[in-house]
Amino acid sequence: MEIRCFPAEETDVAPILAQSRALLECYEDFKSLDREAVFAWMERKTRKRIGEYRRILCDGETAGWLRVCDHGDRLELDDLYVLPGFQNRGIGTTTLNKLLGESEKPVFLYVFTRNAGAIRLYERLGFRVRETVSENRAIMEREPCENRDPASQGRAANGT
């Protein structure tokens, strides 16, 4: 299995939004939020920032998307979407190992507290809950590895 990342294009906006919407529908608490306002904000953000997204390819097929923001002293994993047909195949793990292996900065992310699969993945990769920011969201963070093994990073990256 070869996992590689390439810059996203305008044609990626619609499928990214579909993944975002599905995730929000599954885990967001819309009791106190305007659903359509949230979706409109997500669309504006995605269209404006499409150049910051990376398309994840698995053996040449689009398997998902990734967006990382550099905040100077740390990185934020803003979006990671793995398409349902590609989940549970190590694609998210491989992609994140590549990112983490290249970063000399801490990496943080927001996660839905009910998204047990995502939390398991992040914990397996060394992320820990740093802060609970609402009833259904937490911030997880991982410090950079001080003793990196370049050989293992290369295996994890698998051509990314």
Side-chain angles (χ1 to χ4, degrees):
M1 177 172 68
E2 181 183 37
I3 308 297
R4 301 186 66 191
C5 291
F6 292 93
E9 301 172 355
E10 289 296 321
T11 56
D12 291 303
V13 170
I16 290 170
L17 289 172
Q19 291 303 301
S20 174
R21 188 175 191 112
L23 186 71
L24 289 167
E25 289 287 2
C26 190
Y27 297 110
E28 184 61 88
D29 179 7
F30 285 110
K31 287 181 257 174
S32 61
L33 296 173
D34 179 335
R35 172 179 271 124
E36 293 312 312
V38 170
F39 293 147
W41 173 84
M42 183 57 89
E43 182 168 356
R44 285 190 307 275
K45 177 193 100 161
T46 304
R47 288 189 185 286
K48 182 178 179 179
R49 306 279 187 213
I50 191 63
E52 299 170 10
Y53 280 85
R54 307 282 292 165
R55 183 186 310 151
I56 303 166
L57 298 180
C58 176
D59 296 330
E61 290 185 65
T62 299
W65 296 268
L66 169 77
R67 179 173 178 253
V68 177
C69 305
D70 191 333
H71 293 285
D73 62 336
R74 59 193 183 139
L75 299 178
E76 176 183 3
L77 176 59
D78 184 51
D79 286 323
L80 173 61
Y81 302 118
V82 177
L83 292 167
F86 290 90
Q87 292 175 5
N88 300 309
R89 293 175 47 188
I91 295 165
T93 299
T94 299
T95 302
L96 288 175
N97 274 333
K98 171 72 172 159
L99 168 69
L100 296 169
E102 292 175 346
S103 177
E104 295 182 7
K105 300 177 182 182
V107 178
F108 77 98
L109 56 91
Y110 289 81
V111 65
F112 288 106
T113 55
R114 294 182 303 151
N115 190 343
I119 291 171
R120 274 192 310 275
L121 167 65
Y122 299 135
E123 286 178 339
R124 205 171 55 245
L125 295 175
F127 285 85
R128 298 293 170 251
V129 173
R130 184 183 81 205
E131 178 182 352
T132 301
V133 293
S134 70
E135 184 177 314
N136 67 333
R137 287 201 188 175
I139 298 173
M140 296 183 80
E141 187 167 28
R142 181 182 185 272
E143 292 297 321
C145 295
E146 293 184 20
N147 299 316
R148 294 191 201 144
D149 173 4
S152 68
Q153 287 176 29
R155 284 191 301 273
N158 198 17
T160 304

